[in-house]
């Protein structure tokens, strides 16, 4: 891959209270570069404090000075530059920054930001009657602007050394030590015994070999895919792997959930043996969730476990199934009953593959996107309410922001609970009823994302019946699902068959469920020991005609 020109600056941006000054100065120290805060430059240019500029001349004057400050900084020596929280809302600033070097956006939840800024009264934009509501409104308004950053790092829970390491991972260097921006958004995932990265870019598959090189040249590996995906991307993947020393072999499996079985697994074992894949080899899963589940299960069990990389090509796989290490196949009596926890060595997300998806598949992936927003990120939820049409149109910035943010959310839960014994149960929101409906539909006629969407609507109503949330919280969830073109009920499915399937749910232990429910957008509570009968009314309604939210 051709290297990009040496950077003149590394920019640290993000909302107030995310730690731009603290973490930016630490990054500068580690890189042995000077650190500059554009707020300080603005005050030097104006001869006044920022709060006085806002009070006397307004925000627009401050923004003009901020642009002037950026130009002045870029005329100086190479440095690490922290910008104001609203710098990227001006296209002129974005052009200046991205032409000069990598842009790292620091992120934090609204509650974290309020805690960090609450003791300070000089923040002009937070001098309101409800600072937390103001923070949420501003985060939602700036989400698209922040999506233009090259790299995103959460500062909610990470130790300073962890945050520094994640910022450094956004940078590379040439033989002279010049900083270079990598053409990837990278989301780190710390799970199990190590860390792996989710590498995201519009044409990431062409860089697969560089991201996942063999330990020894000539090592054999298998690329597991289906006929449709193999025809579209197989040659590209094989060429990239072969270029760095792999000896890859394509292994094609039938398409569809109906083939996520032990019979398919056995077929792949034969293919790996015939291809001469040994304990030093690897499996690359090229496709959607079915391919990822089956190939991952094979990698976890072949020769007691070999290297494994996810190459998700569907939205559903990119934002959910490829991250977290759950691999499984189905059994006639239940979905994903035979499986393992096996973390990949890497996840390579080529967002360019989304243009090949049928509209139904793209919308099915949105069910998991919306689920993540509902349980973990009110700013993302509000962004989707206002900008969903841009994502459906596959606008580059919208896709980059939404996919990367979803990977971060999924990684957050996985890191806390890699073996799904605690807080990770929150990710099952909508899945308890959804899986039951999926099984009852017969011959897998109801797609997974559609089943999850109906499950979210049904389980939202359960929360309302239990007095956990208000009607508005239910209405907003259902409205966004419907805006995404997803079903919120499925008339025609046998409610008795769905009830039988629910009672076989693998999450049932000692006759009770651990059920995630949503008290408000952006939050989730996992209720322990919920009787399956509690869901019966909502399940029955989901199989009937719509009754409103």
């Amino acid at each position: 891959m051709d290297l990009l020109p040496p950077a003149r600056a590394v920019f640290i941006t993000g909302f107030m209270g995310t730690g731009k000054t603290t973490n930016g100065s630490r990054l500068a120290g580690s890189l042995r570069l000077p650190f500059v805060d554009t707020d300080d430059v603005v005050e030097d240019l104006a001869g006044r404090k920022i709060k006085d500029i806002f009070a006397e001349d307004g925000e627009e004057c401050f923004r003009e000075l901020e642009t002037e400050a950026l130009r002045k900084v870029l005329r100086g020596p190479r440095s690490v530059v922290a910008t104001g929280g609203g710098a990227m809302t001006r296209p002129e600033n974005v052009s200046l920054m991205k032409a000069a070097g990598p842009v790292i956006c620091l992120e934090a939840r609204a509650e974290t930001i309020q805690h960090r800024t609450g003791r300070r009264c000089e923040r002009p934009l937070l001098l309101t009657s409800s600072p937390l509501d103001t923070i949420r409104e501003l985060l939602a308004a700036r989400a698209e602007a922040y999506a233009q950053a090259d790299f995103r790092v959460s500062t909610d829970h990470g130790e300073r050394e962890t945050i520094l390491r994640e910022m450094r991972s956004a940078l590379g260097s040439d033989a002279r030590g010049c900083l270079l921006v990598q053409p990837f958004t990278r989301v780190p995932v710390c799970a199990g015994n190590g860390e792996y990265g989710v590498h995201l870019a519009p044409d990431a598959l062409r860089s697969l070999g560089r991201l996942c090189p063999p330990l020894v040249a000539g090592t054999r590996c298998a690329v597991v895919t289906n006929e449709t995906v193999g025809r579209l991307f197989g040659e590209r993947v094989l060429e990239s792997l072969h270029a760095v020393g792999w000896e890859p072999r394509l292994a094609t499996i039938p398409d569809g959930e109906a083939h996520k079985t032990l019979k398919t697994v056995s077929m792949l074992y034969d293919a790996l043996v015939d291809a001469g894949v040994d304990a030093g080899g690897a499996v690359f899963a090229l496709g959607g969730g079915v391919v990822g589940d089956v190939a991952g299960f094979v990698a976890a069990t072949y020769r007691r476990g070999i290297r494994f990389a996810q190459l998700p090509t569907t939205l559903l796989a990119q934002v959910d199934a490829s991250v977290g290490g759950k691999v499984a196949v189905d059994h006639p009596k239940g979905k994903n009953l035979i499986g393992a926890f096996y973390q990949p060595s890497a996840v390579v997300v080529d967002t360019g593959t989304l243009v090949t998806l049928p509209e139904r598949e793209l919308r099915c992936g949105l069910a998991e996107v919306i689920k993540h927003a509902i349980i973990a990120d009110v700013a993302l939820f509000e962004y989707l309410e206002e900008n969903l049409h841009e994502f459906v149109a596959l606008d580059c910035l919208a896709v980059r922001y939404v996919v990367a943010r979803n990977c971060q959310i999924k990684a957050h839960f996985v890191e806390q609970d890699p073996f799904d014994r605690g807080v990770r149960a929150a990710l099952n929101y909508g899945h308890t009823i959804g899986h039951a409906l999926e099984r009852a539909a017969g011959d897998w006629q109801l797609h997974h994302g559609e089943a999850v969407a109906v499950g979210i609507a049904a389980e939202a109503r359960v929360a309302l019946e239990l007095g956990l949330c208000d009607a508005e919280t239910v209405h907003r969830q259902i409205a966004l699902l419907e805006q995404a073109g997803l079903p919120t009920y499925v008339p025609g499915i046998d409610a008795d068959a769905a009830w039988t399937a629910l009672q076989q749910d693998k999450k049932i232990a000692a006759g009770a469920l651990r059920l995630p429910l949503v008290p408000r957008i952006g939050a989730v509570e996992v209720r322990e020991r919920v009787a399956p009968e509690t869901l019966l009314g909502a399940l029955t309604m989901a199989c009937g005609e719509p009754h409103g939210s």
Side-chain angles (χ1 to χ4, degrees):
M1 185 191 71
D2 293 333
L3 296 177
L4 299 179
R8 288 185 285 145
V10 178
F11 295 95
I12 310 297
T13 193
F15 201 76
M16 66 183 82
T18 54
K20 298 188 295 293
T21 300
T22 299
N23 293 299
S25 60
R26 287 175 64 82
L27 178 63
S30 75
L31 297 174
R32 298 182 181 179
L33 292 174
F35 174 73
V36 180
D37 190 323
T38 57
D39 281 354
D40 294 337
V41 180
V42 166
E43 291 185 343
D44 287 343
L45 289 170
R48 293 176 288 169
K49 294 291 185 183
I50 288 175
K51 63 178 181 179
D52 296 327
I53 299 172
F54 268 80
E56 296 168 10
D57 298 316
E59 183 176 355
E60 184 58 29
C61 176
F62 169 77
R63 297 299 172 202
E64 292 288 345
L65 287 167
E66 190 171 48
T67 301
E68 186 180 345
L70 276 172
R71 293 185 182 279
K72 180 177 180 179
V73 167
L74 292 177
R75 290 195 293 268
R78 195 152 50 99
S79 56
V80 174
V81 182
T83 76
M88 294 194 75
T89 61
R90 297 194 88 191
E92 184 177 2
N93 293 346
V94 174
S95 297
L96 286 170
M97 293 161 65
K98 293 182 77 68
V103 181
I104 301 173
C105 181
L106 302 185
E107 300 179 318
R109 294 172 61 88
E111 292 79 6
T112 302
I113 293 168
Q114 183 193 35
H115 174 74
R116 291 175 180 170
T117 60
R119 291 167 293 181
R120 304 177 183 178
C121 60
E122 71 272 16
R123 307 265 185 173
L125 295 178
L126 297 188
L127 297 177
T128 65
S129 59
S130 179
L132 182 58
D133 287 342
T134 301
I135 291 168
R136 287 172 173 161
E137 291 170 3
L138 286 170
L139 284 173
R142 294 179 181 179
E144 188 170 3
Y146 291 152
Q148 299 170 94
D150 298 296
F151 198 79
R152 307 167 74 86
V153 175
S154 172
T155 65
D156 270 304
H157 305 291
E159 298 294 331
R160 288 184 175 181
E161 289 303 320
T162 301
I163 294 170
L164 176 62
R165 185 176 69 250
E166 292 182 11
M167 290 192 297
R168 284 296 301 260
S169 71
L171 309 174
S173 62
D174 64 11
R176 300 167 296 163
C178 293
L179 295 174
L180 307 163
V181 61
Q182 296 191 25
F184 290 94
T185 295
R186 181 181 182 275
V187 177
V189 184
C190 299
N193 296 322
E195 176 185 306
Y196 61 92
V198 179
H199 307 273
L200 186 148
D203 199 16
L205 289 177
R206 295 193 188 278
S207 299
L208 174 63
R210 180 174 62 82
L211 294 169
C212 303
L215 300 177
V216 178
T219 302
R220 296 180 179 182
C221 65
V223 178
V224 178
T225 189
N226 61 45
E227 288 186 4
T228 300
V229 177
R231 188 166 54 250
L232 289 169
F233 308 113
E235 184 177 351
R236 185 182 311 176
V237 168
L238 294 176
E239 287 178 355
S240 183
L241 292 173
H242 191 269
V244 296
W246 286 105
E247 291 295 334
R249 178 81 63 87
L250 204 65
T252 303
I253 64 175
D255 192 13
E257 184 81 24
H259 299 286
K260 204 173 88 172
T261 64
L262 288 174
K263 179 180 178 181
T264 303
V265 168
S266 180
M267 181 183 74
L268 286 174
Y269 288 151
D270 291 342
L272 265 63
V273 172
D274 292 344
V277 177
D278 59 22
V283 170
F284 293 87
L286 175 65
V290 170
V291 168
D293 271 355
V294 174
F297 183 79
V298 168
T301 51
Y302 180 74
R303 293 182 178 269
R304 298 186 177 90
I306 61 175
R307 291 174 68 190
F308 166 51
Q310 289 271 21
L311 316 178
T313 59
T314 67
L315 178 61
L316 187 64
Q318 289 180 0
V319 301
D320 183 63
S322 64
V323 180
K326 281 187 177 182
V327 294
V329 294
D330 299 329
H331 186 273
K333 293 189 179 295
K335 182 179 172 69
N336 295 329
L337 286 185
I338 306 166
F341 289 95
Y342 197 65
Q343 299 294 340
S345 301
V347 179
V348 179
V349 177
D350 189 330
T351 55
T353 63
L354 298 181
V355 302
T356 68
L357 294 182
E359 182 180 346
R360 185 180 183 187
E361 289 294 330
L362 185 69
R363 293 186 184 278
C364 282
L366 277 170
E368 295 288 354
V369 169
I370 292 170
K371 179 204 74 178
H372 285 149
I374 290 170
I375 67 172
D377 191 342
V378 66
L380 174 61
F381 189 90
E382 292 170 351
Y383 174 86
L384 293 170
E385 286 181 314
E386 296 295 325
N387 302 284
L388 187 61
H389 61 287
E390 293 185 2
F391 182 86
V392 173
L394 297 180
D395 173 80
C396 183
L397 291 178
V399 169
R400 182 173 187 160
Y401 166 60
V402 170
V403 175
R405 182 64 187 131
N406 273 262
C407 290
Q408 286 180 322
I409 292 170
K410 181 70 180 285
H412 172 71
F413 284 100
V414 170
E415 289 171 355
Q416 294 181 82
D417 184 19
F419 299 108
D420 200 9
R421 294 168 182 162
V423 299
R424 188 168 172 176
L427 294 171
N428 288 322
Y429 183 56
H431 286 60
T432 301
I433 288 179
H435 279 168
L437 295 170
E438 195 173 358
R439 287 293 295 156
D443 296 326
W444 308 105
Q445 292 303 305
L446 185 65
H447 288 203
H448 176 71
E450 294 165 342
V452 168
V454 180
I456 289 172
E459 291 173 25
R461 294 189 181 101
V462 170
L464 181 63
E465 289 293 325
L466 294 176
L468 185 63
C469 72
D470 58 22
E472 177 64 15
T473 298
V474 178
H475 172 74
R476 289 181 70 191
Q477 294 176 66
I478 292 175
L480 185 55
L481 291 168
E482 291 177 343
Q483 185 186 342
L486 290 162
T488 54
Y489 68 99
V490 278
I493 288 184
D494 187 334
D496 290 335
W499 172 241
T500 299
L502 189 148
Q503 291 174 294
Q504 296 170 343
D505 193 297
K506 67 182 185 298
K507 298 184 291 297
I508 292 179
L513 281 162
R514 298 180 70 240
L515 185 69
L517 294 171
V518 170
R520 62 186 182 280
I521 302 300
V524 65
E525 294 181 10
V526 178
R527 291 292 180 99
E528 303 288 343
R529 302 197 58 76
V530 175
E533 289 76 13
T534 304
L535 282 68
L536 182 56
L539 178 66
T540 302
M541 181 182 294
C543 296
E545 294 298 325
H547 298 284
S549 59

